[in-house]
Each structure stands twice: as structure tokens, then as C-alpha cells.
Amino acid sequence: MIDHKATLMDEKDFWRNEKVAFLALATVKGVGFWTIHKIAQARLGFKDLLKEPEVAGVAKPFIDAGVEGVKGQEQLWAVGLAEARRLASNGITMLFKDEPGFPAKLRSIPDAPEWIFVQGNLENLRRPAVAIVGTRKPSEDGLFLTRFAVAALSRSQIVTVSGLALGIDQIAHSESIRYRIPTVAVLGTGILQDYPKGSEKLRSEILLAGGTVITEYLPSQSYSAENFVRRNRLQAAIGDVLIPAEWKVKSGTAHTVKFAHNYGKRIVNLCLPDANAISPEITFSQEIYGATTLTIPFDVQALVAIAQLIKTDVEPLPSTQGSSPVASPSLNRQETSGPQEPPTAEPDLFSPGELDSRQLPLI
């Protein structure tokens, strides 16, 4: 008879070790996001890589950083352990794509993140959601439409999603908090970064109100134009419906609209009476992406109805009850094809107590 409990504990230990090794690797100068991303896609074990960096072509950065021999490996491991404790002390969870508990909405997209860092309520990433995004320099009309949309959705039992950027995004978050709607902020930086400057208060309010902050970037990674474009795909993936409240055909929001279309999400434009004729982005998204356009306030019931049509069966939180063990990635990390059964083991949440008690030996 298979000891399911022991197998699940082995699985949990494996992922805990992989996270510490990942965080250790992320501190090595010359080893950045894309290097680690390639390692993850190649399904190379991060803990094994610390002992054999040449396998992934990172031997030179290790040597340059003075990480040589068993002693150097142990010192680097200790750095990773300290990083894990720091994240845990801030209530930050890390999940790999292949790990039990990784949100299905993110795993299902073709360019799924290899890992995510999450602060706050992980369950929000599984709930029906409306993404509300737009320009950093909104007009009065854009601000009005954003506030109107959030208020109209306040009784729909949904989650809102946006990017914490200045303008439409921050209004979407703050109005969600006002109406007690859990809201998800998708960052274009590492989760330990304060960006945009001055957003820390709103971010704290999001978390206190039961919301969520998420990113795929390394904990201390700074911003870049490329990061924000990639970030936009996660907003589109988490949202079941996308509302681009105010945007231009050539803009950051346009990337989010395209991602939403590619992922089969419904796109809903909002406009004031007679504004449709002077908004090229509305015509563009209707013709290219099959977007729906609602005139506010006349179509408010249609807006509410669209929210109600979102799949109402929330993806359940993972449970260990009656579950079968997940095959250990240390034994089987190759890519699989076709639909996969949702994993059932609970996610490891980087408990500081567990980290302290286990010590996670490198060898």
C-alpha cells in the first residue's frame, strides 16, 4: 500500500527545497530573470543546480560571486534560506507552475508563468474576476466610467483585477476597496519593490481588505517596459472579463486587450452616449477582437448581466483530503501534453516556523 501522507510530505519537502535554492540563485550577480526562466523551462532542479551550476551554464557567475566548493554552496544556501524567511515574514507565498495549488487560470495560458509570488489571499486568483485596466493619464470620462463599472459590479460576487499603476488601475483598486470587492494587483516589478512610488499605502489597503498582490518577477527585480507588457498577460489571464476603461490603440492597455482576446476572454468597452463614434479604439477592438461595447448609463443592466454570466463555480482551494500523491518533479519533470488533472496537495506557504525547524540541508 502506498503511504499517501508520506508521499505528500516528500512532495512538500521537495518544493520547499526548490524554493530556497531558487531564491539563492536569484541573489547571484549575473543570474537574472531570463536565465532562471530558461532553467525552469528546461525542468532542471534548482537544488541540484546549486551543486552543479555548469549543467545550466551558470558556473562563471558562481565563480565570480565566490561560490566555489561545498563551503560556497552552503553559504549560498544560507542566503536562500534567509530570503525565504524574509518573504515568509511579509506573508509572501511562492508557487511553481508544476506545484500543487498553482492557480489554474495562470497554468492554462500558453505562456504561463513558471512561478509566481503572492501576497494576500491566494483564493482570489481562483474566483470569478473582472479585469479593469486603462491609461495612466485618464480623462474625467475615463475616471467616471471606471468608478461606474466598479459600483455596478459591487453586488456581483466577483473579484477585480488591475495593475496598481497610476490612473485607471489605482482607481479600480481603490473603488473596489470602497465597495468591499476583493481586488488583485498584478505587479510589473518584484514583490519587494515599491512601485509606482507612493503606492505602498494603497497596496496595504488592498491586503487589509482581503485582496491580493501577485507578480512573476524576482523579489527585488526593478521595472522595465518589457516587464509591464508581460505583466499585462497575467491581468488578462486572471480576469474572466476585461474592461479597458480608457485606452488607445497603441498603448500598454492595448497589449492587455490582445492577450485577453488570445486567451478567449470577453472584452467589454464602456463609453458615454455618442462617444463611440469618436473612439477609434472601440471600433478597432470590435472589428479585430469581437469586443462588446456598452453605453453608460443606459446599458448598466447588461454590464451586471455579463458579470453574472462569468463561471460561478469557483476553483476550489487545494485539499489533501482523499487525494492521491503528485508525482515528484525530482523524478518526473518533463513536459506533459493534454489536459491535466488539477493537483490536490495544499501549497507550501513558506511558514517561518517550518523553515526554522527543518533547516533544509543542502546535501
Coordinates of all heavy atoms in Angstrom, one line a residue, residues 25 28 31 35 39 44-63 67-69 73 76:
L25 N 19.7 31.3 -5.9 CA 20.2 31.5 -7.3 C 19.9 32.9 -7.7 O 20.7 33.6 -8.4 CB 19.6 30.5 -8.2 CG 20.1 30.5 -9.7 CD1 21.5 30.2 -9.8 CD2 19.2 29.6 -10.5
V28 N 22.5 35.7 -7.0 CA 23.8 35.7 -7.7 C 23.9 36.7 -8.8 O 23.1 36.7 -9.7 CB 24.1 34.2 -8.2 CG1 25.5 34.2 -8.9 CG2 24.1 33.2 -7.1
V31 N 23.0 36.3 -12.8 CA 21.9 35.3 -13.0 C 20.6 36.1 -12.8 O 20.2 36.3 -11.7 CB 22.0 34.2 -12.0 CG1 20.9 33.2 -12.2 CG2 23.4 33.5 -12.1
T35 N 17.6 34.0 -17.3 CA 18.4 32.8 -17.1 C 17.6 31.8 -16.2 O 17.6 30.6 -16.5 CB 19.7 33.2 -16.4 OG1 20.4 34.1 -17.2 CG2 20.6 32.0 -16.1
I39 N 16.1 28.0 -17.1 CA 16.3 26.8 -16.2 C 15.0 26.1 -15.8 O 14.9 24.9 -15.9 CB 17.1 27.3 -15.0 CG1 18.5 27.7 -15.4 CG2 17.2 26.1 -13.9 CD1 19.3 28.4 -14.2
L44 N 15.1 21.7 -14.9 CA 16.3 21.4 -14.1 C 16.0 21.7 -12.7 O 15.5 22.8 -12.4 CB 17.5 22.2 -14.6 CG 17.9 22.0 -16.1 CD1 19.1 23.0 -16.4 CD2 18.3 20.6 -16.3
G45 N 16.4 20.8 -11.8 CA 16.1 21.1 -10.4 C 17.0 22.2 -9.8 O 18.2 22.2 -10.0
F46 N 16.4 23.1 -9.2 CA 17.2 24.3 -8.7 C 18.2 23.8 -7.6 O 19.3 24.3 -7.5 CB 16.3 25.4 -8.2 CG 15.6 26.1 -9.3 CD1 14.3 25.9 -9.6 CD2 16.3 27.1 -10.0 CE1 13.7 26.6 -10.6 CE2 15.7 27.7 -11.1 CZ 14.4 27.5 -11.4
K47 N 17.8 22.9 -6.7 CA 18.7 22.5 -5.6 C 19.8 21.7 -6.2 O 21.0 21.9 -5.8 CB 17.9 21.6 -4.6 CG 18.8 21.2 -3.5 CD 18.0 20.3 -2.5 CE 18.9 19.9 -1.3 NZ 18.2 19.0 -0.4
D48 N 19.6 20.9 -7.2 CA 20.7 20.1 -7.8 C 21.6 21.1 -8.6 O 22.8 20.9 -8.6 CB 20.1 19.1 -8.9 CG 19.4 18.0 -8.2 OD1 19.6 17.8 -7.0 OD2 18.5 17.4 -8.9
L49 N 21.0 22.2 -9.1 CA 21.8 23.1 -9.9 C 22.8 23.9 -9.0 O 23.9 24.2 -9.4 CB 20.9 24.1 -10.6 CG 21.5 25.1 -11.5 CD1 20.7 25.3 -12.7 CD2 21.7 26.5 -10.8
L50 N 22.5 24.1 -7.7 CA 23.4 24.8 -6.8 C 24.7 24.0 -6.6 O 25.7 24.5 -6.4 CB 22.7 25.0 -5.4 CG 21.6 26.0 -5.3 CD1 21.3 26.4 -3.9 CD2 22.0 27.3 -6.1
K51 N 24.5 22.6 -6.7 CA 25.7 21.8 -6.6 C 26.4 21.5 -7.9 O 27.6 21.3 -7.9 CB 25.3 20.4 -6.0 CG 24.8 20.6 -4.5 CD 24.4 19.2 -3.9 CE 23.0 18.8 -4.4 NZ 22.6 17.6 -3.7
E52 N 25.7 21.7 -9.0 CA 26.3 21.5 -10.3 C 25.9 22.7 -11.3 O 25.1 22.4 -12.2 CB 25.9 20.2 -10.9 CG 26.3 19.0 -10.1 CD 25.9 17.7 -10.8 OE1 24.7 17.3 -10.6 OE2 26.7 17.0 -11.4
P53 N 26.4 23.9 -11.0 CA 25.9 25.0 -11.8 C 26.3 24.9 -13.3 O 25.7 25.6 -14.1 CB 26.6 26.2 -11.1 CG 27.8 25.6 -10.4 CD 27.3 24.2 -10.0
E54 N 27.3 24.2 -13.6 CA 27.8 24.1 -15.0 C 26.7 23.4 -15.9 O 26.6 23.6 -17.1 CB 29.1 23.3 -15.1 CG 29.0 21.8 -14.6 CD 29.1 21.7 -13.1 OE1 29.3 22.7 -12.4 OE2 29.1 20.5 -12.7
V55 N 25.8 22.6 -15.3 CA 24.7 22.0 -16.0 C 23.8 23.0 -16.7 O 23.3 22.8 -17.8 CB 23.9 21.1 -15.1 CG1 22.7 20.5 -15.8 CG2 24.7 19.9 -14.6
A56 N 23.6 24.1 -16.0 CA 22.7 25.2 -16.6 C 23.5 26.3 -17.1 O 23.0 27.4 -17.5 CB 21.8 25.7 -15.5
G57 N 24.8 26.2 -17.2 CA 25.7 27.3 -17.8 C 25.8 28.5 -16.9 O 26.1 29.6 -17.4
V58 N 25.7 28.3 -15.6 CA 25.9 29.4 -14.7 C 27.1 29.3 -13.8 O 27.3 29.9 -12.8 CB 24.6 29.6 -13.8 CG1 23.5 30.1 -14.7 CG2 24.3 28.4 -13.0
A59 N 28.1 28.4 -14.3 CA 29.3 28.2 -13.4 C 30.1 29.5 -13.3 O 30.6 29.8 -12.2 CB 30.1 27.1 -14.1
K60 N 30.2 30.3 -14.4 CA 31.0 31.5 -14.3 C 30.5 32.5 -13.3 O 31.2 33.1 -12.5 CB 31.1 32.2 -15.7 CG 32.1 33.4 -15.7 CD 32.2 33.9 -17.1 CE 33.3 35.1 -17.1 NZ 33.0 36.1 -16.2
P61 N 29.1 32.8 -13.3 CA 28.6 33.7 -12.3 C 28.8 33.2 -10.9 O 29.1 34.0 -10.0 CB 27.1 33.8 -12.6 CG 27.0 33.5 -14.1 CD 28.1 32.5 -14.3
F62 N 28.8 31.9 -10.7 CA 29.1 31.3 -9.4 C 30.5 31.6 -9.0 O 30.8 32.0 -7.9 CB 28.8 29.8 -9.4 CG 27.4 29.4 -9.1 CD1 26.3 30.1 -9.7 CD2 27.1 28.5 -8.1 CE1 25.0 29.7 -9.4 CE2 25.8 28.1 -7.8 CZ 24.8 28.7 -8.4
I63 N 31.4 31.4 -9.9 CA 32.9 31.6 -9.6 C 33.1 33.1 -9.3 O 33.8 33.5 -8.4 CB 33.7 31.1 -10.8 CG1 33.6 29.6 -10.9 CG2 35.2 31.6 -10.6 CD1 34.3 29.1 -12.2
V67 N 31.3 31.6 -5.2 CA 30.6 30.4 -4.8 C 31.3 29.2 -5.4 O 31.1 28.8 -6.5 CB 29.1 30.5 -5.2 CG1 28.4 29.2 -4.8 CG2 28.4 31.7 -4.7
E68 N 32.2 28.7 -4.6 CA 33.0 27.5 -5.1 C 33.1 26.5 -4.0 O 33.2 26.8 -2.8 CB 34.4 28.0 -5.5 CG 34.5 28.9 -6.6 CD 35.9 29.2 -7.1 OE1 36.5 28.4 -7.7 OE2 36.4 30.3 -6.7
G69 N 33.0 25.2 -4.4 CA 33.1 24.1 -3.4 C 31.9 24.0 -2.5 O 31.0 24.8 -2.6
Q73 N 28.8 26.6 -1.6 CA 27.4 26.2 -1.8 C 26.5 26.3 -0.6 O 25.4 26.8 -0.6 CB 27.4 24.7 -2.3 CG 28.0 24.5 -3.7 CD 28.3 23.1 -4.0 OE1 27.9 22.2 -3.2 NE2 28.9 22.8 -5.1
L76 N 25.8 30.0 0.0 CA 24.7 30.4 -0.9 C 23.4 29.9 -0.4 O 22.3 30.6 -0.5 CB 25.0 30.0 -2.3 CG 24.0 30.5 -3.4 CD1 24.0 32.0 -3.4 CD2 24.5 30.0 -4.8

